[in-house]
Amino acid sequence: MQTKGRSRHFIYTDWILIETQFDPEQLHSKETVFTIGNGYLGTRGSFEEGYPHASPATFIHGVYDDVPVVYTELVNCPDWLSLVVIVNGDRFRLDQGEVLRFDRQLDLRYGLLSRSLRWRSPSGNTIDISFERFASLADPHVLALRCHLTPVDFDGLIEVQASINGYPENQGFNHWDGLDQGKTDQGIWLQRSTRSSRIELGMAAKVRILGTETEASLQVNTAPGYPSLNTTFLAKAQQTVTVEKIVTVFTSREIETPVSAAQEKLADLSDYATLLKANEHAWHEVWQQSDILIEGDSTAAFAVRYNLFQLLIAAPQHDDKVSIPAKTLSGFGYRGHIFWDTEIFMQPLFLFTQPAIARNLLSYRWHTLNGARRKAAHYGYKGAMFAWESAVTGDEVTPRWAIGSDFYGEDVRIWCRDQEIHINADIPYAIWNYWQATGDDDWMQKRGAEVILDAAIFWGSRVEFNPQRQKYEIRGVIGADEYHEFVHNNAFTNRMAQWHLEKAIAVYDWLVENFPEQATELEEKLKLTPEERSHWQDIIAKILFLYDPSTELIEQFEGFFQLEDINLADYEPRDRSMQPLLGIEKINKCQVLKQPDVLMLLYLMRESADFPYNEKALQTSWDYYAPRTDITYGSSLGPAVEAILASDLGKSTEAYELFMRALMVDLEDNRGNTSDGIHGASAGGIWQAVIFGFGGIQLTENGPVANPHLPPGWTRLKFKLHWRGKWHDFDLHQGQVPQDITRQLQYLQLSLSANPPNFDSEVSDPSGLPAFSSPPVPITPYPQREPHLPHNPNIQGFIFDLDGVLTDTAELHYLAWKKLADEEGIPFNREANDALRGVSRRASLMLILGDRRYSEAQIQEMMERKNRYYVELMQNMTAKDLLPGAIALLDELRQAGIKIGIGSASKNAQTVIERLGIADKVDAIADGYSVEQPKPAPDLFLYAAKQLGVEPGQCVVVEDAAAGVDAALAAGMWAVGLGPAERVGAAHVVLPSLEGIKWADLRGKLSNIPRQKQ
């Protein structure tokens, strides 16, 4: 299927981007869009023959040089593309003569860029010309170009000049000194050196002519800095002549003698077709791991692959001393500098599909630690302070001033270099996630730990203790939202610093236990003392975080709520960000955001459900901050993240709109700055939006699990993820029951059946996910085992369900469901509510809806609406809502030294426990975020036992639902059922309630169970 791209003359197929018309007004943005590369270098999609005011560029990872006084930048390397065609004396170029037909294609499958056209010269000769090029993924030092020339209506002379242009510029500045050039039996070569950094480059090229009636001879032209291979031949009408140009390139970063290496490599290479085949094979291997298949939305199907392609060609496969710049290797934007964009936005794609590349990206930060240490020392701090913008050494390369377009205007100070310090926690965040996903202990102990610990030392010296508040503060910063400078106690920065210190302590303890020699070495190297570690713990406990516990609304930074509130809709329509509209001084005083800040924090804490993330905080923060975020022209980093959070909130339409805004940022140039280079962070965010947002991937101890909510129209979503050494395949479909409730629905069907059938095996699709059908396919229920428990049980742990056991939230759930049902016009009463006991939210909704048909978006919205009603009712809960006997038994168990856990399917369990005032009586919580499978699967209780550090056979589960009792028995635990025997009769002990229950009496009952049941 094909779809037409808006105003860009684009057609999208599954794998190929087709441009149908050349538009000179879009020259520079299209050069970006048609970038190719191979992880070593990237080449913009400029024309081989050139074009007035074009911006051709080839960027090689790590080749940086200084512009005196101003900045360091990634260097535009010699242009390998140059191929001039002269037809009977007329030089072929698109701004002269007449273009009769034009077609340009980028084939993502093989990284192959091609262009075909029919051109009539000023003299009236018509010729078909086609170009094809690729940067070999099989050998990163090999580049190849092929041109087909077919005269249409004439016989005549054609001259071809194939050159290396040694005079590339970075927007007016030439970084190269000429060293030498020459010819060999193979062709030509060029030697250059960067002026300041003294990086040497060697490039060699050879040309082959095919299809001429007589052999075309090649002449070498060695004009200084512009070596060429030239040939002239007689062309016949309707006969095709092919020109193959093969180029090799090396730099002194990877080899001592780059010129010799380039020459030797060139001599060993075969023809274009052979090189192309090797390249295609290499790409096939990459797409086997990284492809995402989308059916039902052809634009998204191509555009997602396009964004992945642009990241894949910028990713260093064989070099761990470089990283991906914010604009990848595709443009001059941000001077090729590396930001937090790489770790937070781009790295997850590689972490879960190409983990070796993820390791390379993080190793770059380890290699640049000394630069981060120099920056910290410069500002008077300890440890490592990572640069906001980084290049080779890790020293700060953010320009100090931005020069405006107004010649008489004042330059603008760029404060990010001084104040945007959250990157110091963002990098450890990525390192921690890499470790969790790969289990790469070797890399962690040799490199990752040093980065995490040294960056943590910085926080210890950066925070300030406020004796009046008895709190630690971080003052004078810029948060993720860059519209506000010099703010105090930015929520994102403070919480990320706290999180970082928490993980630094965990890593340090892990090192001491598992790699004591490495721990000692780092203690000495970093001057890491017990006092420092104690200081970290104090900061963790006392850092200031501004939020309202009753509403869970987080204040972005101190005083944000006192700023002027403006309505962004009043400024529409517009074609620029709010900062130039309001001015820097004005926007600092308004509640308008460049990009998500609090919402970004919630997203980073989302996967692990760490504070402050929970459903209420997300809803509250969304309602407040989303309308105040300049999502259209602020930062391109925002839309993809907001798409994920909107999806979480059941805002399906809004999620898809945000997703498409991010998805098409370069293909449609919807911000007007694609000419600067690919929006790398947005491309990485796209991958996360598809996988974590629409695919609903959650990471568990047993691997990634899908809880899909596909956008309307998407009929299929297929991808694979690498997790702890194993590949996990996912093949998701529209309307598919999310994995976390599939077993429950199947079990419900069985339990409600008069004659439950028996089945030998689970029905599943090839992806490993439960297959969806309507009604659900029944499977064998979880076995209600009669475990061989000891005669005198050595009970070490108790796991309590919440609802109906410690408190009675059933009434709150009933009122919430009742309100929803009334709004939807669905009959619902207390008798119907009884069938929902122990059932997950979605399964409950499905039972309420019965045969009524609703879209996935409507289902998501209803679930969230019900939860919102429930959370509102829950706010009034207090310790008075504990059921009789609950607090007495909890206190007695604690006095007996027994560990206490909570095993509740609710995702609000943490909040309920806090409202009831029993948080200090609980040692572990297993809730709806903890495991893949809900009750009656044993997973929740097994997880709780693991958190308690107690063997399953030493645990007692207290439940009031049949599904919970079955789960306890399946886990090999003791089961105490509360309620009527017809509901919980499978439990070892059945009680009416906890009122009057003593531990000694209960232990006696349990001791007699095995003898009675035998």
Side-chain angles (χ1 to χ4, degrees):
M1 182 179 291
Q2 300 181 350
T3 57
K4 197 82 175 209
R6 171 168 61 90
S7 74
R8 300 277 280 169
H9 310 296
F10 281 160
I11 293 173
Y12 308 123
T13 72
D14 286 348
W15 286 97
I16 301 175
L17 173 64
I18 303 172
E19 183 188 23
T20 59
Q21 181 180 327
F22 172 58
D23 183 353
E25 295 297 318
Q26 299 176 2
L27 176 69
H28 293 156
S29 66
K30 296 289 183 65
E31 288 176 328
T32 294
V33 167
F34 287 105
T35 294
I36 62 170
N38 59 11
Y40 172 71
L41 57 74
T43 295
R44 284 168 61 83
S46 305
F47 298 143
E48 290 83 353
E49 72 278 7
Y51 194 87
H53 310 297
S55 295
T58 291
F59 299 105
I60 298 177
H61 268 308
V63 180
Y64 288 89
D65 195 45
D66 295 335
V67 176
V69 180
V70 189
Y71 43 69
T72 295
E73 66 182 1
L74 196 62
V75 173
N76 186 4
C77 295
D79 184 10
W80 64 276
L81 290 175
S82 183
L83 190 74
V84 173
V85 177
I86 301 173
V87 179
N88 276 338
D90 290 325
R91 178 170 174 170
F92 161 64
R93 44 193 287 179
L94 293 184
D95 64 324
Q96 293 185 4
E98 184 180 1
V99 178
L100 303 177
R101 185 177 66 227
F102 180 92
D103 177 281
R104 179 161 48 167
Q105 300 187 15
L106 176 61
D107 190 335
L108 306 179
R109 291 169 299 186
Y110 311 122
L112 191 65
L113 178 62
S114 60
R115 177 169 53 114
S116 64
L117 48 89
R118 175 165 288 185
W119 180 71
R120 181 174 294 145
S121 72
S123 301
N125 295 313
T126 305
I127 186 171
D128 288 340
I129 305 176
S130 67
F131 297 92
E132 184 179 86
R133 72 174 84 147
F134 65 92
S136 176
L137 197 67
D139 187 332
H141 301 283
V142 174
L143 309 165
L145 164 64
R146 181 164 63 185
C147 175
H148 297 301
L149 303 166
T150 309
V152 175
D153 55 11
F154 72 95
D155 296 344
L157 289 177
I158 295 180
E159 182 181 353
V160 175
Q161 301 171 0
S163 312
I164 301 174
N165 181 357
Y167 296 101
E169 292 186 348
N170 281 59
Q171 298 174 316
F173 189 85
N174 185 351
H175 283 278
W176 296 99
D177 283 333
L179 295 181
D180 204 356
Q181 65 186 62
K183 64 179 181 177
T184 66
D185 293 339
Q186 295 294 319
I188 54 176
W189 57 270
L190 177 74
Q191 184 183 28
R192 282 285 194 255
S193 175
T194 54
R195 294 182 173 184
S196 177
S197 56
R198 311 312 298 171
I199 297 173
E200 185 180 325
L201 176 143
M203 190 175 282
K206 65 180 179 181
V207 170
R208 184 183 180 204
I209 310 294
L210 304 170
T212 56
E213 291 189 354
T214 59
E215 184 177 351
S217 61
L218 292 167
Q219 292 80 41
V220 175
N221 185 320
T222 55
Y226 206 87
S228 300
L229 290 166
N230 303 339
T231 186
T232 302
F233 53 86
L234 179 63
K236 297 282 189 177
Q238 301 302 318
Q239 291 185 2
T240 299
V241 176
T242 299
V243 181
E244 295 180 355
K245 179 182 180 182
I246 297 173
V247 181
T248 56
V249 58
F250 286 84
T251 76
S252 56
R253 288 193 65 257
E254 63 269 8
I255 197 165
E256 289 186 7
T257 55
V259 171
S260 297
Q263 293 173 355
E264 292 168 5
K265 172 73 71 174
L266 189 68
D268 292 338
L269 293 178
S270 55
D271 61 3
Y272 181 96
T274 302
L275 296 175
L276 179 58
K277 186 174 182 179
N279 173 68
E280 291 175 349
H281 178 75
W283 269 110
H284 176 76
E285 294 297 317
V286 169
W287 285 119
Q288 281 291 310
Q289 297 175 338
S290 303
D291 185 31
I292 293 177
L293 171 69
I294 296 171
E295 294 182 356
D297 186 342
S298 55
T299 298
F302 170 80
V304 166
R305 283 176 171 143
Y306 176 82
N307 280 273
L308 300 187
F309 172 81
Q310 288 296 341
L311 290 180
L312 290 169
I313 64 175
Q317 297 188 45
H318 310 291
D319 191 345
D320 68 358
K321 294 183 179 180
V322 297
S323 188
I324 305 176
K327 294 295 185 181
T328 67
L329 298 176
S330 62
F332 297 96
Y334 295 122
R335 310 289 172 182
H337 295 169
I338 294 139
F339 294 69
W340 72 313
D341 303 35
T342 309
E343 283 78 18
I344 298 300
F345 294 90
M346 304 183 211
Q347 196 213 18
L349 160 66
F350 303 106
L351 176 57
F352 293 103
T353 67
Q354 313 267 340
I357 292 177
R359 184 176 61 243
N360 286 344
L361 296 174
L362 294 174
S363 289
Y364 162 79
R365 295 297 189 178
W366 179 78
H367 284 297
T368 56
L369 264 176
N370 284 335
R373 289 163 179 152
R374 287 190 289 269
K375 180 178 179 181
H378 170 78
Y379 285 95
Y381 302 122
K382 298 179 182 179
M385 181 183 183
F386 281 100
W388 179 242
E389 299 182 31
S390 180
V392 176
T393 64
D395 292 282
E396 184 63 72
V397 294
T398 307
R400 189 177 298 274
W401 297 93
I403 301 173
S405 57
D406 182 359
F407 183 78
Y408 295 100
E410 294 185 1
D411 295 341
V412 177
R413 180 72 157 85
I414 302 176
W415 289 107
C416 297
R417 59 183 288 138
D418 311 279
Q419 299 175 24
E420 197 153 0
I421 59 175
H422 61 77
I423 190 172
N424 231 59
D426 303 333
I427 292 168
Y429 179 91
I431 291 174
W432 177 269
N433 285 342
Y434 169 79
W435 188 35
Q436 299 304 300
T438 65
D440 190 350
D441 291 351
D442 182 67
W443 185 88
M444 188 63 174
Q445 61 103 0
K446 290 179 179 176
R447 294 187 172 185
E450 184 175 358
V451 178
I452 288 178
L453 294 174
D454 211 14
I457 291 172
F458 163 78
W459 291 120
S461 64
R462 180 62 173 82
V463 300
E464 304 172 43
F465 186 72
N466 185 327
Q468 283 74 37
R469 284 175 157 170
Q470 287 294 297
K471 292 286 186 180
Y472 286 97
E473 301 181 338
I474 303 179
R475 302 175 64 80
V477 301
I478 296 174
D481 159 35
E482 295 171 337
Y483 279 169
H484 298 89
E485 302 168 338
F486 293 101
V487 305
H488 305 320
N489 297 309
N490 168 252
F492 184 94
T493 304
N494 283 26
R495 175 60 183 121
M496 288 298 291
Q498 180 190 46
W499 179 95
H500 180 185
L501 294 175
E502 293 167 354
K503 296 304 184 276
I505 291 174
V507 168
Y508 176 75
D509 291 344
W510 171 79
L511 273 180
V512 170
E513 182 177 351
N514 296 280
F515 301 96
E517 293 183 2
Q518 181 71 6
T520 301
E521 180 181 327
L522 285 178
E523 286 172 351
E524 296 173 355
K525 181 177 183 179
L526 307 181
K527 298 180 175 58
L528 184 55
T529 63
E531 291 76 18
E532 184 75 47
R533 191 176 184 279
S534 177
H535 183 41
W536 292 351
Q537 291 173 323
D538 198 41
I539 296 169
I540 292 169
K542 298 177 182 177
I543 197 164
L544 184 62
F545 189 80
L546 301 169
Y547 85 114
D548 184 342
S550 62
T551 64
E552 302 208 23
L553 179 60
I554 301 163
E555 187 169 21
Q556 181 173 306
F557 56 80
E558 193 167 358
F560 181 84
F561 292 149
Q562 281 70 56
L563 301 180
E564 179 184 349
D565 202 4
I566 65 174
N567 184 1
L568 292 180
D570 294 341
Y571 295 84
E572 298 294 347
R574 56 190 173 94
D575 60 359
R576 67 195 71 183
S577 72
M578 291 300 297
Q579 189 174 63
L581 287 175
L582 296 177
I584 293 176
E585 184 176 346
K586 170 72 172 177
I587 208 164
N588 260 296
K589 299 176 181 178
C590 295
Q591 292 189 47
V592 55
L593 286 64
K594 179 179 179 181
Q595 65 193 52
D597 196 305
V598 168
L599 290 175
M600 187 69 205
L601 172 63
L602 291 173
Y603 174 62
L604 294 186
M605 297 294 116
R606 165 183 179 269
E607 187 59 49
S608 57
D610 280 346
F611 177 83
Y613 181 85
N614 61 55
E615 292 183 22
K616 181 181 179 182
L618 175 57
Q619 183 68 63
T620 303
S621 297
W622 178 276
D623 291 343
Y624 193 87
Y625 288 107
R628 293 167 171 82
T629 302
D630 184 3
I631 205 68
T632 52
Y633 291 101
S635 170
S636 64
L637 279 60
V641 169
E642 286 203 359
I644 300 171
L645 299 179
S647 190
D648 285 352
L649 292 169
K651 301 177 181 293
S652 181
T653 300
E654 191 169 354
Y656 185 73
E657 290 174 353
L658 288 161
F659 169 74
M660 291 302 292
R661 180 178 295 280
L663 186 66
M664 307 306 288
V665 65
D666 291 313
L667 288 170
E668 291 186 351
D669 195 14
N670 57 34
R671 290 174 179 266
N673 61 354
T674 297
S675 58
D676 294 337
I678 291 293
H679 292 77
S682 183
I686 285 298
W687 184 89
Q688 296 183 59
V690 173
I691 304 302
F692 298 126
F694 301 143
I697 290 295
Q698 295 175 336
L699 303 174
T700 73
E701 283 298 314
N702 297 322
V705 178
N707 298 288
H709 28 93
L710 305 186
W714 287 25
T715 57
R716 188 184 186 193
L717 172 61
K718 184 179 180 181
F719 55 89
K720 64 168 54 176
L721 301 176
H722 193 267
W723 172 260
R724 297 183 181 174
K726 295 181 180 179
W727 284 101
H728 299 261
D729 294 309
F730 295 89
D731 197 347
L732 313 177
H733 300 270
Q734 186 64 257
Q736 183 172 343
V737 180
Q739 188 174 358
D740 68 329
I741 65 148
T742 301
R743 287 180 180 268
Q744 187 135 7
L745 286 175
Q746 292 166 339
Y747 183 80
L748 276 172
Q749 186 186 32
L750 283 172
S751 61
L752 295 173
S753 171
N755 297 294
N758 290 318
F759 295 87
D760 295 327
S761 61
E762 179 178 342
V763 177
S764 64
D765 68 15
S767 70
L769 298 179
F772 173 76
S773 60
S774 182
V777 178
I779 61 170
T780 306
Y782 292 96
Q784 297 185 9
R785 297 187 293 190
E786 294 293 350
H788 297 289
L789 298 170
H791 178 67
N792 292 309
N794 179 24
I795 303 299
Q796 299 293 320
F798 260 69
I799 303 171
F800 292 89
D801 186 19
L802 271 177
D803 190 18
V805 175
L806 296 180
T807 186
D808 190 2
T809 59
E811 181 66 14
L812 304 185
H813 282 292
Y814 167 69
L815 293 174
W817 282 125
K818 176 65 173 170
K819 184 176 181 180
L820 174 72
D822 289 346
E823 290 172 346
E824 296 296 323
I826 300 173
F828 186 73
N829 54 30
R830 293 186 184 277
E831 183 179 355
N833 187 65
D834 288 341
L836 309 184
R837 185 182 293 270
V839 179
S840 71
R841 189 186 309 168
R842 184 176 182 119
S844 296
L845 179 59
M846 293 303 185
L847 290 174
I848 293 172
L849 297 180
D851 295 332
R852 297 171 182 85
R853 303 289 292 179
Y854 288 89
S855 69
E856 178 61 22
Q858 291 172 314
I859 291 171
Q860 291 286 338
E861 187 279 327
M862 284 189 282
M863 286 195 298
E864 294 304 323
R865 197 185 340 154
K866 180 268 174 181
N867 190 59
R868 187 164 64 251
Y869 297 155
Y870 171 69
V871 170
E872 291 170 356
L873 293 166
M874 193 174 60
Q875 300 309 310
N876 297 320
M877 292 184 70
T878 67
K880 295 179 181 178
D881 292 297
L882 283 162
L883 290 172
I887 197 71
L889 181 58
L890 290 175
D891 288 341
E892 188 180 0
L893 291 172
R894 289 194 72 79
Q895 292 174 7
I898 293 174
K899 294 183 178 180
I900 297 174
I902 299 296
S904 169
S906 171
K907 292 185 176 180
N908 297 301
Q910 181 77 48
T911 304
V912 172
I913 291 167
E914 292 172 357
R915 297 291 179 197
L916 293 174
I918 59 172
D920 60 336
K921 303 179 188 298
V922 174
D923 300 301
I925 299 174
D927 60 12
Y929 293 107
S930 301
V931 295
E932 166 189 341
Q933 301 289 357
K935 306 168 191 176
D939 303 30
L940 191 72
F941 294 142
L942 291 173
Y943 178 87
K946 184 177 180 180
Q947 297 301 304
L948 292 174
V950 178
E951 292 297 319
Q954 296 177 323
C955 289
V956 174
V957 171
V958 184
E959 264 284 358
D960 75 321
V965 171
D966 292 340
L969 296 175
M973 299 179 180
W974 300 88
V976 173
L978 302 184
E982 56 268 24
R983 191 174 74 222
V984 294
H988 294 100
V989 174
V990 177
L991 303 171
S993 70
L994 293 180
E995 187 172 10
I997 298 299
K998 301 292 186 181
W999 164 227
D1001 296 336
L1002 191 55
R1003 183 172 52 192
K1005 291 179 180 290
L1006 294 171
S1007 298
N1008 293 326
I1009 295 304
R1011 196 164 46 227
Q1012 293 172 358
K1013 293 209 171 185
Q1014 288 172 353

